[in-house]
Amino acid sequence: VKAVVLDPRNDFNVDQILMEKDVQNLIQLCVTRLLDTTNPSLSTIKMQVYFDMNYASRAELLREQHHVLEGRLARVLREITDSRPRVQEDMENVYRKVVSYVLLSSGLGPPTDIQVVREVTAALQSVFPQTEMNTFISLSKKNKEQQLKNLAMLVTGIRLYNKECGKGGTSIDDLPAILNEAIPSATQTLDEGLNTCQVRAHQYTALLESMQEDQDRCTQLSSFKLKEALFNVRQYEAFLCILLSDVITSAQEVEKMNVQFAATMEQLKNTVQNKVSVDTNEVFPLFIALSDLWTGFQDETLLLRFLTNMTNNLQQFSEIQSQLFPEDVLSSLLEGMTVKSDEERIRETKGTKMNVSDFKNQEWLFPETIDNFDQLPIQYHSFCAHAIGVKGLTLPGNPAIGILKHKERCYVFSSEEAAYLFAQDPDKFIQLNVEKAKEYAELIQLLELRYQFEDLVSCTQAGNGVKFLIKTTIKCDGSTQTDTHILPPTIVTSYEWNEWELRRKAIKLANLRRRLTHAMQTELSHMRRENSTQVYLPKDVGTQTKRDSATNIPRPQIFLEGLRGGASPTTHMVKVDLTRAVDET
């Protein structure tokens, strides 16, 4: 519905009320588009929906898998931690449940195989004999869960070690060998799919360019849905690149784990050798390390299976464009034409560079002048920002020509001419690209243009029930919270900055080494305790203070007259003392 409403050719206005006739027209257009099984555009949208609903990153997929495993083990775990056995028979039942938990948690072999159960039981008894069940039952629930996890890892490590020594390991698959065979196969499949869709994209691009250059050619090919087919293979290529990147990451992780697993196993062999008994502090960490590495192999197997299924399921969405353009049809259409690959187009513009002085108000970036070039937010999936809206083509952009930074977004171009035209009025060409995405809705995700389009919602007008489409108001309530202390406290309470205090403590500790504590008990003091206390008797003390007295002296009042002089040259000063006597105060 959104794709039909956004298409300007259908003349729907989101700000106007849709009458009954318009609603029926909208329904008819949607149904017609859904039933058009020969349109690559619909297949591209289906591909995008499938990928969005099913693809998950490595971290998300592993987190979900571990959550599912915990859900499967929750019932057995709850039965073990909540049990309070009193008799020997109940103890044995709980111990059998512990064996089941360890077996299910490791995932090494089917739980119904009696040989596997016996092997797990023997390995568990070597580290957790049944005589320790009383101690286990007395633990808290949290400690029980932690000990069960540790036991599962220890048993897994023991079984892997026994398998390496040829003394057990029944029904344990050789995951490293399986992964070493499956990863190259998956990589080859993805490489072949990428090569096929890239060749198709280059051929469709060549045909579309010939249509723009030759009017007769345009009339001949106008009935073909070349643009829809081009967008389909470009989207298929983008998804295959994501899956291939995940497979490469998985291959790197497997290679790293193979080295660590071999080194840990060799260290364990050197530690155990033919000894009758070994220190648990030495071998238990090695068993747990083996278990962790094996869990990593299991995770990579799950990831590879998921990526393989995604690859196989995506292929169906690219079949329509290949059926519309069989190899013989494409060969006849491309006869006498030169098909350029993306690499060849970039090589043609090698050495071309924008003259920054021509656009003083624009900011241009170049790969050699900035750090973290790969992390730049380049728009339109690194396709030429000019060719999309003007020509309707997805041409690869060459960052060496120059990266235009406009309104905090970066744009690349396929040629110097395209860069000059775009830089003269970027907003105009950005709007052209938006209009092109409205015409071909699959471009919204392919070119990562979701921020340009607001969601449309269907509302019912109160009273008459007439439906119309409006733009949703993008508002939400948000709140943030900042932790007072993000990092754990690192204050060392025993720290002393005073050297003399350290010296005092050292002397105290040295003296304590030479002290002995003696105690004895007699029949009279048996089961008794002597209490003694010491107090200070109160003491009455009195003191007498001196007598308070005060004096008051008169304030001096002395006046001098004649200091400023007068008519005679000689100054005659008169001193008048008006201070009162002491006895008058």
Side-chain angles (χ1 to χ4, degrees):
V1 171
K2 292 178 182 178
V4 171
V5 171
L6 287 174
D7 194 341
R9 294 172 295 185
N10 297 327
D11 295 331
F12 284 108
N13 193 338
V14 297
D15 297 325
Q16 293 182 355
I17 297 176
L18 293 182
M19 306 306 294
E20 186 64 28
K21 179 180 178 181
D22 298 327
V23 173
Q24 294 300 324
N25 184 28
L26 175 60
I27 295 174
Q28 185 61 39
L29 289 172
C30 292
V31 172
T32 303
R33 187 160 184 174
L34 288 171
L35 295 179
D36 187 4
T37 58
T38 62
N39 191 352
S41 177
L42 183 61
S43 296
T44 306
I45 295 177
K46 288 182 179 180
M47 185 195 311
Q48 294 169 345
V49 173
Y50 171 80
F51 195 84
D52 283 344
M53 294 181 62
N54 293 275
Y55 176 76
S57 62
R58 287 175 55 89
E60 293 174 350
L61 187 63
L62 294 180
R63 184 168 56 251
E64 181 65 23
Q65 177 63 19
H66 294 164
H67 181 69
V68 171
L69 180 60
E70 290 176 359
R72 294 175 181 174
L73 298 174
R75 180 179 177 182
V76 180
L77 183 63
R78 185 168 56 253
E79 291 177 354
I80 296 173
T81 56
D82 294 345
S83 61
R84 293 291 185 270
R86 300 300 181 186
V87 296
Q88 184 63 26
E89 184 179 357
D90 293 341
M91 288 282 189
E92 294 176 355
N93 291 333
V94 176
Y95 193 81
R96 282 194 290 269
K97 291 179 181 179
V98 173
V99 174
S100 300
Y101 175 84
V102 170
L103 179 56
L104 294 173
S105 177
S106 64
L108 301 180
T112 56
D113 191 340
I114 188 63
Q115 186 65 26
V116 175
V117 175
R118 288 176 179 174
E119 183 180 344
V120 172
T121 304
L124 180 62
Q125 288 178 347
S126 65
V127 295
F128 182 67
Q130 197 166 346
T131 55
E132 295 185 7
M133 282 297 298
N134 290 327
T135 306
F136 176 79
I137 295 300
S138 63
L139 297 176
S140 64
K141 184 174 183 178
K142 184 176 181 181
N143 292 336
K144 286 180 183 178
E145 294 176 355
Q146 184 61 40
Q147 186 166 350
L148 286 173
K149 292 179 181 179
N150 292 337
L151 290 174
M153 290 189 289
L154 286 173
V155 171
T156 301
I158 292 172
R159 293 186 64 195
L160 292 173
Y161 174 74
N162 292 338
K163 181 179 184 299
E164 183 71 17
C165 298
K167 299 179 182 179
T170 305
S171 302
I172 297 179
D173 297 328
D174 191 358
L175 293 184
I178 294 174
L179 288 171
N180 290 336
E181 294 179 2
I183 289 178
S185 176
T187 305
Q188 181 180 359
T189 302
L190 286 168
D191 285 335
E192 291 175 354
L194 270 175
N195 183 60
T196 301
C197 66
Q198 287 172 352
V199 170
R200 285 272 180 167
H202 302 157
Q203 293 172 342
Y204 294 152
T205 302
L207 289 174
L208 288 170
E209 287 180 330
S210 67
M211 290 176 59
Q212 296 175 358
E213 296 172 357
D214 188 353
Q215 189 63 33
D216 296 335
R217 191 74 168 171
C218 179
T219 305
Q220 177 187 0
L221 300 175
S222 59
S223 60
F224 294 94
K225 300 177 180 179
L226 283 173
K227 289 185 179 180
E228 290 87 342
L230 173 62
F231 300 150
N232 181 272
V233 294
R234 284 297 190 186
Q235 185 65 81
Y236 186 45
E237 176 190 6
F239 288 155
L240 290 184
C241 286
I242 295 174
L243 298 179
L244 181 60
S245 175
D246 288 345
V247 172
I248 292 174
T249 302
S250 182
Q252 294 172 349
E253 291 294 326
V254 169
E255 182 179 1
K256 187 190 307 180
M257 288 190 297
N258 279 331
V259 176
Q260 295 175 352
F261 187 81
T264 306
M265 186 65 74
E266 186 65 26
Q267 184 181 357
L268 186 58
K269 287 181 179 179
N270 295 335
T271 303
V272 177
Q273 294 180 353
N274 295 323
K275 297 178 182 178
V276 178
S277 62
V278 291
D279 187 3
T280 57
N281 294 329
E282 295 182 7
V283 295
F284 277 14
L286 297 177
F287 285 141
I288 293 177
L290 285 180
S291 175
D292 289 337
L293 290 171
W294 198 261
T295 303
F297 285 127
Q298 292 174 329
D299 291 342
E300 295 302 331
T301 304
L302 172 71
L303 286 168
L304 190 61
R305 188 184 303 116
F306 167 75
L307 295 174
T308 302
N309 292 336
M310 286 288 296
T311 304
N312 296 334
N313 294 332
L314 281 177
Q315 188 175 1
Q316 60 180 320
F317 301 109
S318 184
E319 292 177 352
I320 290 182
Q321 58 85 19
S322 60
Q323 294 173 0
L324 288 176
F325 299 95
E327 291 294 337
D328 53 345
V329 175
L330 269 180
S331 300
S332 62
L333 293 176
L334 293 169
E335 186 175 357
M337 295 178 56
T338 302
V339 179
K340 298 179 183 179
S341 65
D342 291 347
E343 292 77 11
E344 291 174 346
R345 293 178 184 275
I346 292 177
R347 281 198 298 268
E348 287 180 354
T349 57
K350 185 177 181 180
T352 306
K353 194 172 182 179
M354 288 293 297
N355 188 3
V356 181
S357 60
D358 294 342
F359 300 94
K360 296 182 180 180
N361 296 328
Q362 301 283 4
E363 183 179 0
W364 291 90
L365 306 176
F366 297 93
E368 63 273 8
T369 59
I370 58 175
D371 298 330
N372 301 325
F373 166 72
D374 296 335
Q375 300 179 5
L376 283 178
I378 297 180
Q379 302 301 297
Y380 306 134
H381 204 70
S382 297
F383 290 122
C384 177
H386 177 266
I388 295 171
V390 177
K391 302 179 181 179
L393 300 178
T394 52
L395 300 179
N398 185 3
I401 296 176
I403 306 170
L404 176 62
K405 187 174 182 181
H406 178 69
K407 295 182 179 179
E408 301 303 323
R409 301 184 185 276
C410 300
Y411 304 89
V412 292
F413 310 96
S414 58
S415 64
E416 186 179 6
E417 179 184 1
Y420 269 99
L421 292 173
F422 187 92
Q424 290 176 1
D425 193 355
D427 293 330
K428 168 189 172 182
F429 291 97
I430 291 173
Q431 187 59 34
L432 286 177
N433 296 337
V434 172
E435 295 300 325
K436 186 64 67 174
K438 289 181 179 179
E439 187 176 351
Y440 300 94
E442 60 269 27
L443 289 178
I444 296 177
Q445 179 164 338
L446 174 60
L447 303 181
E448 301 169 356
L449 291 175
R450 290 183 177 179
Y451 69 94
Q452 294 276 8
F453 296 90
E454 297 178 3
D455 291 336
L456 301 176
V457 295
S458 177
C459 296
T460 303
Q461 188 177 10
N464 54 11
V466 179
K467 293 184 178 180
F468 63 97
L469 296 171
I470 63 172
K471 293 183 179 180
T472 58
T473 304
I474 305 178
K475 292 182 179 179
C476 65
D477 294 332
S479 62
T480 60
Q481 181 177 355
T482 304
D483 293 336
T484 305
H485 300 288
I486 300 177
L487 299 177
T490 57
I491 299 175
V492 181
T493 56
S494 60
Y495 171 75
E496 288 288 350
W497 64 270
N498 193 338
E499 295 181 3
W500 290 101
E501 181 65 20
L502 294 174
R503 182 175 180 274
R504 188 187 66 80
K505 290 184 177 181
I507 294 174
K508 181 179 178 181
L509 293 175
N511 291 337
L512 286 175
R513 294 182 60 215
R514 297 194 295 270
R515 297 293 185 268
L516 296 177
T517 301
H518 297 278
M520 66 176 56
Q521 185 174 355
T522 64
E523 293 182 358
L524 295 177
S525 65
H526 179 58
M527 298 297 292
R528 294 183 181 180
R529 185 180 64 181
E530 294 182 358
N531 292 334
S532 62
T533 125
Q534 182 179 0
V535 299
Y536 292 96
L537 296 177
K539 182 173 60 174
D540 295 331
V541 179
T543 61
Q544 184 176 3
T545 62
K546 296 179 180 180
R547 185 181 60 184
D548 293 337
S549 63
T551 60
N552 189 12
I553 62 174
R555 181 180 179 184
Q557 292 183 349
I558 301 174
F559 298 91
L560 302 177
E561 188 264 340
L563 292 177
R564 295 186 180 180
S568 62
T570 304
T571 301
H572 299 280
M573 182 187 71
V574 179
K575 180 179 181 180
V576 180
D577 187 358
L578 300 180
T579 303
R580 300 175 65 183
V582 175
D583 54 356
E584 295 180 3
T585 58

